[in-house]
Amino acid sequence: MGEKVRVRFAPSPTGPLHIGGVRTALYNYLFAKRHGGDFILRIEDTDQNRFVEGAEKYIVESLKWCGIMPAESPESGGKYGPYRQSERKEMYRQYADQLIKSGNAYYAFDTPEALEALRKKMEEEKAPNTSYCASNRLTMDNSLVFGIEEAEKRVAAGENFVIRFKMPDNNQVEADDLIRGRVTVNTALLDDKVLFKSDGMPTYHLANVVDDHTMDISHVIRGEEWLPSLPLHVMLYKAFGWEMPQFAHLPLLLKPDGKGKLSKRDGDKMGFPVFPVEWHNPDGEVYSGYRESGYLPQAFINMIALLGWNPGTEQEIFSREELSELFSIDRVNKAGARFDPEKAKWFNHQYIMSQGLDDVTEAFMIELQKHNISVLREFAAKVCDLTRERVNFVHEIWQQSAFFFVAPAGYDQEVIKKRWKENTPELLRGVIENVMQKTRFDAFLLKPALEDYCNNNQIGMGPIMIGLRLCMVGAASGPDLFAIMEMLGKEEVIQRIETGLQKIK
Ligand code: GLU
């Protein structure tokens, strides 16, 4: 690749970013990393009717949580700024004017009623293209009919106007997509899209193309839903006489059953988050997020990376660095990628197991605070180490380990019925006296000491083990009993046995 790679993620702040958007951002980021290029965040906020309070902040926070950090952005600035389209407002008009001058665009003054009437008429006539286009534009209220001078007078008099692109009739537009190959469309099927409105704002199409050009964007990597806009964008580049970036349209993200596009509402309906972090809608509705649901950002990113891309090997676990080295557009699929919430949990489990124990402990310490527990970090780390293989999420560690912090409030009656024998109390008293009082509380010493005691007195270990476990945990579950006892310490262990002996009947 000759020129410098510069890619952008260009969300509109019309709501929270869903995982499809995160994937677009991630692929852009990885592509930039792989080619030593720049990844840019540009906020496309020209459509003020669709503006949603808090959405931009949400997007920035989500990218931060994912570790997808832009080199240039509204927050950090950069030499191609501003990076918010509303702040670039002044520059778009001149580009629209340039297209009018070169005959590629025109002023139009049609009222909403006139546009509605046109649509109806075209539909009644069963026209192949029912929109404002080459076949009907000369019947409408625009400068192609009465000339630029007249139009400029009406604009100066304060009339509402738009500037439309003059789509050539019956031309083949060809564009190369890095994922889909050559895309060919006949312009007869396209309409004269609005590029600029009298509120002084460009539309998405004009602003997007002008910004990609003026920001020296080399590759446009975006969702498949923008593929229908590609012919117009190609025509705009041609009309301006600008070199085009390369395009890559990413496959759709599909619902878990593969039927249809994964939508913003699906997640909470189907019981999994579709947003990276929790979103509070201005109407008060709250949508769950991966962060709040206990996912580690690395696991989340790893899972997202494989939705539509694969490295061509069986490997599934990748660090961010590995992804940056391996990612390539050639290995992005054309077909939609089915989202699998169970796989997401699996990824999280893998990361909980493989992550430095420190990160898991860090997250667990926060969890402990929620339960008003304060312990030494070292103790929490040991608990994490003993229980993490049983959980998919850090918060589940608490469910697996509460007994390390608080004595059991009750005992599993089923287990008592089946396995607490008449002589269990006597056996446990014997263990306190002959093993616990005499042995250092270390798992490696306790185990052989208990085994010896049982052997020498011809007592079965089974009833003692289950009795002790019930007293420590309240149930027949939990990690290695000797490890539990070592961590609880002699005093607490004996105390729990005494309590058990009183309460278990
Ligand atoms: N503003 C568009 C969006 O919200 C950007 C599409 C593009 O990347 O060109 O997705």
Side-chain angles (χ1 to χ4, degrees):
M1 227 159 285
E3 62 188 301
K4 172 144 192 179
V5 165
R6 284 178 56 81
V7 291
R8 84 304 193 271
F9 176 50
S12 299
T14 53
L17 195 60
H18 108 321
I19 45 182
V22 177
R23 187 193 57 178
T24 302
L26 178 66
Y27 284 11
N28 272 287
Y29 170 86
L30 294 175
F31 186 78
K33 288 273 163 225
R34 162 86 194 267
H35 297 287
D38 299 327
F39 167 69
I40 291 141
L41 173 65
R42 182 173 77 222
I43 298 292
E44 301 208 325
D45 57 350
T46 54
D47 190 350
Q48 290 176 327
N49 297 325
R50 294 182 60 221
F51 178 82
V52 172
E53 190 67 43
E56 181 184 327
K57 201 166 147 246
Y58 177 93
I59 292 167
V60 169
E61 192 185 334
S62 298
L63 294 181
K64 243 183 222 161
W65 179 67
C66 295
I68 305 175
M69 299 305 282
E72 298 160 35
S73 73
E75 265 193 330
S76 62
K79 74 174 188 216
Y80 293 85
Y83 294 89
R84 222 177 258 119
Q85 286 184 330
S86 57
E87 291 165 19
R88 302 168 69 80
K89 191 174 156 187
E90 309 313 325
M91 61 176 277
Y92 300 112
R93 179 65 196 263
Q94 76 192 61
Y95 289 103
D97 286 346
Q98 190 180 322
L99 292 179
I100 293 178
K101 278 204 192 82
S102 62
N104 288 297
Y106 60 91
Y107 290 106
F109 298 87
D110 310 273
T111 60
E113 295 75 33
L115 294 174
E116 182 53 25
L118 172 70
R119 194 184 55 79
K120 273 210 182 118
K121 182 166 161 262
M122 292 286 110
E123 270 172 18
E124 272 159 25
E125 286 174 10
K126 299 209 165 39
N129 187 346
T130 56
S131 46
Y132 203 118
C133 62
S135 75
N136 56 38
R137 59 168 81 109
L138 290 177
T139 66
M140 302 301 285
D141 191 14
N142 59 50
S143 60
L144 296 175
V145 176
F146 46 74
I148 298 275
E149 234 169 81
E150 171 72 17
E152 278 169 357
K153 268 191 221 149
R154 287 172 68 175
V155 170
E159 259 190 71
N160 274 342
F161 71 94
V162 294
I163 297 173
R164 285 182 182 271
F165 186 68
K166 188 175 166 211
M167 187 59 78
D169 192 14
N170 207 14
N171 258 14
Q172 289 293 106
V173 196
E174 294 192 334
D176 287 312
D177 183 276
L178 294 171
I179 297 167
R180 275 144 231 280
R182 178 145 293 196
V183 181
T184 311
V185 180
N186 191 300
T187 52
L189 298 171
L190 303 175
D191 58 336
D192 287 0
K193 276 269 182 300
V194 172
L195 301 177
F196 197 88
K197 294 168 292 168
S198 47
D199 67 359
M201 278 291 195
T203 59
Y204 155 73
H205 302 290
L206 179 68
N208 185 270
V209 165
V210 165
D211 285 350
D212 283 345
H213 173 71
T214 53
M215 291 182 171
D216 278 344
I217 296 301
S218 63
H219 295 76
V220 169
I221 305 170
R222 61 186 170 192
E224 186 178 284
E225 65 274 25
W226 300 102
L227 194 58
S229 302
L230 182 59
L232 170 64
H233 294 186
V234 169
M235 294 304 294
L236 280 168
Y237 280 101
K238 287 200 173 140
F240 282 119
W242 293 338
E243 198 190 322
M244 251 181 283
Q246 289 191 266
F247 292 96
H249 289 84
L250 305 174
L252 288 178
L253 277 194
L254 305 176
K255 293 184 203 299
D257 62 6
K259 293 185 188 138
K261 195 174 151 185
L262 183 69
S263 83
K264 296 192 173 187
R265 301 228 160 242
D266 284 340
D268 287 331
K269 251 190 341 215
M270 298 186 193
F272 58 86
V274 287
F275 298 113
V277 309
E278 197 170 80
W279 165 249
H280 293 249
N281 217 38
D283 66 9
E285 233 177 313
V286 178
Y287 294 82
S288 62
Y290 279 84
R291 181 178 67 186
E292 291 73 13
S293 303
Y295 284 84
L296 299 167
Q298 299 89 317
F300 177 65
I301 284 305
N302 193 153
M303 181 265 296
I304 296 275
L306 291 168
L307 289 174
W309 169 83
N310 70 79
T313 64
E314 293 294 300
Q315 188 181 346
E316 289 188 286
I317 302 292
F318 298 94
S319 67
R320 198 181 294 275
E321 292 67 36
E322 280 176 300
L323 286 174
S324 307
E325 274 162 31
L326 291 170
F327 182 78
S328 78
I329 293 281
D330 319 341
R331 298 212 60 91
V332 174
N333 305 326
K334 277 199 213 59
R338 186 191 295 212
F339 178 68
D340 179 355
E342 288 310 311
K343 193 77 194 207
K345 288 183 196 159
W346 178 84
F347 273 109
N348 212 46
H349 176 75
Q350 298 305 313
Y351 274 82
I352 286 186
M353 290 305 291
S354 67
Q355 276 233 321
L357 189 56
D358 262 5
D359 291 352
V360 177
T361 306
E362 178 80 31
F364 184 53
M365 290 292 279
I366 297 169
E367 210 47 49
L368 283 176
Q369 275 170 18
K370 291 188 199 154
H371 296 277
N372 284 325
I373 304 272
S374 80
V375 285
L376 288 177
R377 200 188 163 89
E378 209 190 336
F379 187 84
K382 277 193 196 146
V383 170
C384 290
D385 197 27
L386 283 171
T387 50
R388 62 179 164 163
E389 65 182 332
R390 295 156 202 268
V391 304
N392 288 327
F393 302 102
V394 170
H395 59 80
E396 289 175 351
I397 293 183
W398 171 256
Q399 289 147 27
Q400 296 289 333
S401 72
F403 59 86
F404 279 110
F405 308 95
V406 276
Y411 302 90
D412 187 328
Q413 289 304 321
E414 282 293 298
V415 182
I416 295 174
K417 231 190 281 165
K418 281 201 205 126
R419 307 181 66 183
W420 183 271
K421 304 290 181 227
E422 211 175 311
N423 67 340
T424 303
E426 187 193 322
L427 292 175
L428 294 186
R429 286 214 172 84
V431 170
I432 295 182
E433 199 174 312
N434 300 300
V435 182
M436 305 213 161
Q437 300 288 18
K438 296 182 179 159
T439 316
R440 220 180 66 215
F441 252 65
D442 178 320
F444 293 107
L445 300 176
L446 275 174
K447 189 171 181 213
L450 184 65
E451 280 166 354
D452 284 352
Y453 170 71
C454 289
N455 282 340
N456 296 342
N457 297 283
Q458 282 161 16
I459 311 170
M461 283 269 280
I464 293 181
M465 293 294 280
I466 194 71
L468 288 173
R469 190 174 282 281
L470 262 176
C471 293
M472 299 306 122
V473 179
S477 56
D480 178 62
L481 181 63
F482 296 100
I484 296 176
M485 296 200 294
E486 175 185 323
M487 290 198 43
L488 291 176
K490 187 192 231 170
E491 219 175 293
E492 177 69 14
V493 166
I494 293 176
Q495 178 61 51
R496 285 193 188 188
I497 299 174
E498 298 289 359
T499 313
L501 292 180
Q502 277 168 28
K503 291 196 178 160
I504 301 174
K505 295 275 179 289

